[in-house]
Amino acid sequence: WQSQWIAKDIAVVKIAHKIHSRPSGNSFLSASSGESEFPDNFSHELALAIKCEKGVAIFSPCTHSGIFNVIESCLEFTGESNLLAFVGGLHLVDGCESRDEITSIADDFITGYPHAKLYTGHCTCDSAIKILEKKMGPGKFIMFATGDHYLLP
């Protein structure tokens, strides 16, 4: 399966970038084929990229490939350079990533995408939420739940 446009400004993107770290919580997940079970490499992971007037918004259900691999794959495929928003779970499991690693995610997001907002909820652990919220601030880091409504920038 390859990335493809499904509408004029909407693409389903296969996560091709693998240069950035991936969540350590992936080690708890596996895939199976018939009767055998093996570590999941998440080569099947997809994200939705929507081109807007001022950039792109990315939707990633559970970011097993790592937030920066997902972002870079989507920006490359869409040809956009401006990330407006990343919406999705970060797959950060309590006890897997250190405070320093989560702080680094926040720093890299702020530096690399200064105008973007990070919306997360599903599969982002409480300790990561606290660190990201404190480091990024309420204008940049937004928690969401099913049924919440937001206007993208």
Side-chain angles (χ1 to χ4, degrees), residues 54-131:
K54 297 179 182 177
V56 67
I58 297 170
F59 296 82
S60 177
C62 191
T63 311
H64 297 283
S65 292
I67 185 172
F68 299 112
N69 291 319
V70 172
I71 291 171
E72 289 184 23
S73 294
C74 290
L75 292 177
E76 181 178 290
F77 182 76
T78 62
E80 289 290 330
S81 59
N82 187 39
L83 177 66
L84 297 174
F86 182 91
V87 182
L90 299 180
H91 196 67
L92 299 174
V93 178
D94 272 325
C96 287
E97 272 75 27
S98 70
R99 171 177 280 284
D100 289 343
E101 288 170 315
I102 296 168
T103 299
S104 179
I105 291 170
D107 289 339
D108 291 347
F109 190 89
I110 291 166
T111 303
Y113 313 100
H115 305 292
K117 294 185 179 197
L118 173 57
Y119 296 82
T120 192
H122 166 75
C123 75
T124 304
C125 68
D126 291 339
S127 60
I129 289 167
K130 288 176 187 171
I131 295 166

